[in-house]
Amino acid sequence: MGGTNRRDFFSDLLPAKLQKNEKYDINKDEIFLKYANKTSPLSLKKTRAGLSQYTGAWTEKQKIHLLRRTMFGAKPSSLNALNGLTMSQAVDLIVNANPAAPLPPTNFYESLYPDPTAVPLGSTWVNAPYGDGTVNYWRWQSTRAWWMSNILNQGMSIQEKMIIFWHNYFVTEEAVVGDSRLQYKYLALLRTHCLGNFKTFVKEITKDPMMLFYLNGHYNIKNSPDENYAREVQELFTIGKGANLWTEDDVKAVAKVLTGFRADTVNLTYTFDPNKHEQGNKIFSAFYNNYTVVGQAGAAGESELDDLLNMIFAQNQTVAKFLCRKLYRFFIYYDIDANVESTIIAGMANTLINNSWNITPVLLELFKSDHFYDSLSMDCVIQNPIDYYLGMCRALSVNFNDAVGIVDNTKAYYSLANFCDIIGMAPGNPPNVSGWPAYYQTPQFHEMWINSDTLPKRMKYTDAFFTNTGLYVSGTYYMKCNVLAFAQTLPNAYDPDVLVSDCVKFLLAIGLSQTLKDSFKDILTNNNANSYWTQAWTDYIGAPANVTYQNIVRTRLQLMLTKLLQMAEHHLG
């Protein structure tokens, strides 16, 4: 942060444990402002590695880097899945995977609020009538639980990570639209197109009923054109903002092209109403080469959208570089200097254009590149809250207990979404149409995830995860880490040196000095010889039902993991 060591930032921040009652304002956070970047770019992180395919070492370090950036966390079973694969094969496995769409969210809330549309407990509500505001609230909790479950239980695929990327790109807010059925359809749309064709994706998101409501496309009619989506489709989705680009007259013309699209909340799709469509010609500025979208009457008016997109995507380098910068900041790093722009961004953009706007080839090129595996591209970003919590749960092999029943199980999953919300990243509700500031706000960018409000909260919930009580879900169910089960996913858990090294490998982005590792080993051995832990673990494995043996190893593991995850390195990825 800035030019200062991050440990200084943590040491200043943690003793304060600032838990203010008033609404937090990062602009008044003196500690954050003291350490945050003051200028951008910093010109401190330099790399000359390009998009040529990486031919360097393919060790656990590179494999875990790939897993953390393309998925959520790195768990032992995922690392094992890469055994025997080359780097190129591993990237192909993750990026080209095409997992089946998960079953839709269901009614878990019947005992909390009987569904007024008669959807029974355990059945899906995604195609049911709206009902009322209360049932919509519970359906939204159902959606959030379903979303977190998809992430936590993901297979070897980049799909879930791409859904978060596109959610931050084509932003909608459930709190604004207020219809969880449309939110589900929107998320399903992100899943369908997340690795597909970008131009097709823009077309489909333009017609998506959630987006039609969110950016007022539903209210965009010929007698009263609404310019909201017309502006954002250029500024945030395709072209970007700056001098010598599109004009205010272009915004007006785009709005006229898009008149007549309507959200259908009965069939949960869109319709096109020719009677609300502006049929006249739409003339654009010199930026678009004074292009004219010829007005169409009747149902043919809908085809003007294709004409509009052809015009926008004809600005191919501008559009391609805009998307590739977003991909770079999400998957690599926030600082795009002149070298990165001219080599990485330009190269990715050419790949996108040469592959007719298909996204997958761009990702394959990036994740197989020298640049991706350059040491300066590793362990250099502060994890966003979803990466932080869900990645931690995956690395610790946390499995929620279906036996507790659908109500408590769903509550446990949406509790994860609540934790992310509390520390600044509410799934389904970014702060505005621009998405989360950490991906665009200069000069701080990712540093905005850590401040006097969010860091104590991160630590509070993580610490509670390793207590005997755990985190409250309901009066009968608390969520916590089964440290005994986690340790058994690691080889040679009986050896305290190996066990600590494995925990560091999967839970911290940056390795620790031997002195620090020894301090964590001392927790396992209770400041005794290695044989203390080895004997305790051997006793437990030999008689796992023995409560005394359980308590000895559980207590040492809980304390060691609590202290380990309080390290600043745990927040990096």
Side-chain angles (χ1 to χ4, degrees):
M1 296 186 125
T4 309
N5 189 294
R6 293 183 190 278
R7 292 192 185 281
D8 293 336
F9 171 68
F10 269 55
S11 64
D12 271 8
L13 182 59
L14 284 176
K17 292 288 185 182
L18 301 178
Q19 299 286 354
K20 300 177 181 178
N21 293 324
E22 66 269 20
K23 182 175 176 62
Y24 174 78
D25 184 350
I26 198 169
N27 295 312
K28 298 179 180 178
D29 186 335
E30 294 180 0
I31 297 177
F32 175 81
L33 295 175
K34 174 182 177 182
Y35 289 101
N37 288 341
K38 303 301 188 297
T39 59
S40 181
L42 290 177
S43 299
L44 296 176
K45 176 180 175 290
K46 293 292 187 181
T47 175
R48 292 292 177 260
L51 287 174
S52 298
Q53 184 158 316
Y54 176 71
T55 57
W58 180 236
T59 68
E60 287 185 340
K61 177 66 176 177
Q62 288 78 30
K63 294 174 184 178
I64 288 175
H65 172 61
L66 175 65
L67 291 171
R68 283 194 176 121
R69 292 297 177 90
T70 59
M71 297 168 62
F72 291 87
K75 56 191 296 185
S77 61
S78 296
L79 182 62
N80 292 338
L82 301 185
N83 287 341
L85 300 182
T86 65
M87 179 278 298
S88 182
Q89 290 170 335
V91 174
D92 287 342
L93 172 67
I94 294 170
V95 175
N96 288 327
N98 186 27
L103 294 174
T106 57
N107 176 349
F108 78 98
Y109 47 78
E110 195 64 17
S111 63
L112 304 170
Y113 185 77
D115 192 303
T117 67
V119 174
L121 180 71
S123 295
T124 187
W125 46 262
V126 299
N127 294 311
Y130 175 77
D132 59 31
T134 302
V135 78
N136 183 69
Y137 167 80
W138 289 114
R139 288 172 176 178
W140 172 229
Q141 300 306 322
S142 171
T143 303
R144 297 207 304 163
W146 168 82
W147 195 352
M148 297 303 101
S149 174
N150 294 339
I151 293 174
L152 197 61
N153 299 302
Q154 68 182 140
M156 293 292 291
S157 172
I158 196 175
Q159 191 176 80
E160 297 300 332
K161 200 65 169 275
M162 289 302 295
I163 289 170
I164 296 296
F165 168 78
W166 289 115
H167 177 45
N168 187 60
Y169 192 100
F170 295 123
V171 170
T172 65
E173 298 175 62
E174 195 280 337
V176 172
V177 177
D179 190 332
S180 295
R181 301 170 308 157
L182 300 186
Q183 182 78 21
Y184 168 75
K185 296 292 184 182
Y186 157 82
L187 291 172
L189 181 69
L190 300 191
R191 183 177 300 279
T192 297
H193 294 283
C194 66
L195 292 164
N197 186 278
F198 179 53
K199 185 177 179 182
T200 301
F201 202 170
V202 175
K203 178 179 179 179
E204 295 306 310
I205 203 72
T206 300
K207 301 183 295 182
D208 177 70
M210 183 79 176
M211 184 64 76
L212 284 169
F213 276 124
Y214 180 60
L215 290 180
N216 297 347
H218 177 76
Y219 308 103
N220 182 23
I221 58 177
K222 64 181 181 181
N223 293 327
S224 182
D226 188 293
E227 299 173 6
N228 200 355
Y229 186 81
R231 181 178 305 279
E232 307 306 359
V233 73
Q234 296 176 92
E235 181 176 331
L236 296 179
F237 299 167
T238 57
I239 299 292
K241 183 179 181 180
N244 303 315
L245 296 177
W246 47 270
T247 68
E248 288 301 311
D249 285 340
D250 289 330
V251 173
K252 293 178 172 63
V254 172
K256 291 177 181 178
V257 169
L258 298 177
T259 51
F261 287 93
R262 311 284 285 169
D264 179 351
T265 56
V266 175
N267 299 301
L268 305 180
T269 184
Y270 82 97
T271 59
F272 181 77
D273 185 347
N275 295 320
K276 298 185 183 300
H277 177 65
E278 171 57 59
Q279 298 179 13
N281 292 345
K282 294 85 178 175
I283 302 173
F284 289 83
S285 71
F287 174 73
Y288 292 115
N289 299 312
N290 304 116
Y291 188 83
T292 297
V293 172
V294 177
Q296 302 292 325
E302 183 177 347
S303 68
E304 290 183 31
L305 172 58
D306 291 316
D307 205 6
L308 171 69
L309 293 179
N310 288 338
M311 178 194 75
I312 290 176
F313 277 78
Q315 313 303 313
N316 51 21
Q317 283 291 328
T318 301
V319 174
K321 287 180 179 178
F322 180 78
L323 171 60
C324 291
R325 291 185 197 105
K326 295 269 193 173
L327 286 167
Y328 186 88
R329 285 196 165 112
F330 188 84
F331 285 105
I332 308 294
Y333 195 62
Y334 73 91
D335 186 10
I336 299 177
D337 62 17
N339 178 64
V340 170
E341 178 70 24
S342 64
T343 57
I344 309 304
I345 303 303
M348 292 169 65
N350 288 336
T351 299
L352 183 61
I353 295 166
N354 293 338
N355 284 275
S356 303
W357 302 103
N358 286 310
I359 299 159
T360 295
V362 179
L363 298 176
L364 290 171
E365 178 181 51
L366 181 62
F367 298 135
K368 293 182 182 183
S369 70
D370 279 327
H371 188 76
F372 182 72
Y373 296 101
D374 188 285
S375 60
L376 294 178
S377 295
M378 293 185 177
D379 314 323
C380 58
V381 294
I382 296 173
Q383 295 183 83
N384 69 47
I386 299 177
D387 269 316
Y388 177 78
Y389 275 124
L390 278 296
M392 178 181 66
C393 288
R394 281 176 45 77
L396 292 166
S397 300
V398 172
N399 291 309
F400 289 10
N401 183 7
D402 292 341
V404 301
I406 189 173
V407 177
D408 279 353
N409 199 39
T410 302
K411 286 182 176 180
Y413 279 116
Y414 75 63
S415 292
L416 291 176
N418 289 341
F419 299 152
C420 295
D421 187 353
I422 289 168
I423 60 172
M425 192 179 191
N429 278 310
N432 54 58
V433 69
S434 297
W436 285 287
Y439 292 108
Y440 67 83
Q441 186 65 61
T442 183
Q444 295 89 7
F445 287 98
H446 63 162
E447 294 180 348
M448 299 186 78
W449 294 127
I450 298 287
N451 53 59
S452 297
D453 183 64
T454 60
L455 182 59
K457 292 173 181 175
R458 282 191 180 210
M459 309 294 266
K460 173 184 176 182
Y461 291 113
T462 302
D463 288 355
F465 207 54
F466 297 102
T467 63
N468 288 329
T469 302
L471 291 159
Y472 177 86
V473 173
S474 74
T476 57
Y477 184 45
Y478 287 75
M479 183 169 53
K480 54 189 173 182
C481 177
N482 185 339
V483 295
L484 301 179
F486 165 63
Q488 291 179 71
T489 68
L490 304 174
N492 305 319
Y494 63 87
D495 184 328
D497 287 302
V498 175
L499 179 56
V500 168
S501 292
D502 282 343
C503 288
V504 169
K505 177 172 64 182
F506 288 109
L507 296 169
L508 304 186
I510 299 175
L512 300 179
S513 68
Q514 190 58 51
T515 299
L516 281 171
K517 286 183 179 180
D518 287 343
S519 70
F520 291 111
K521 181 184 71 172
D522 289 342
I523 296 174
L524 291 178
T525 63
N526 202 21
N527 294 308
N528 293 302
N530 284 12
S531 57
Y532 173 92
W533 172 259
T534 300
Q535 186 61 54
W537 184 255
T538 302
D539 289 343
Y540 163 68
I541 293 298
N546 185 296
V547 175
T548 299
Y549 295 158
Q550 283 182 23
N551 287 338
I552 292 172
V553 292
R554 180 188 293 111
T555 299
R556 307 321 303 169
L557 280 169
Q558 285 176 331
L559 182 57
M560 187 273 287
L561 288 168
T562 298
K563 297 299 182 183
L564 185 69
L565 297 191
Q566 290 175 352
M567 300 290 291
E569 289 82 354
H570 179 51
H571 299 273
L572 297 175

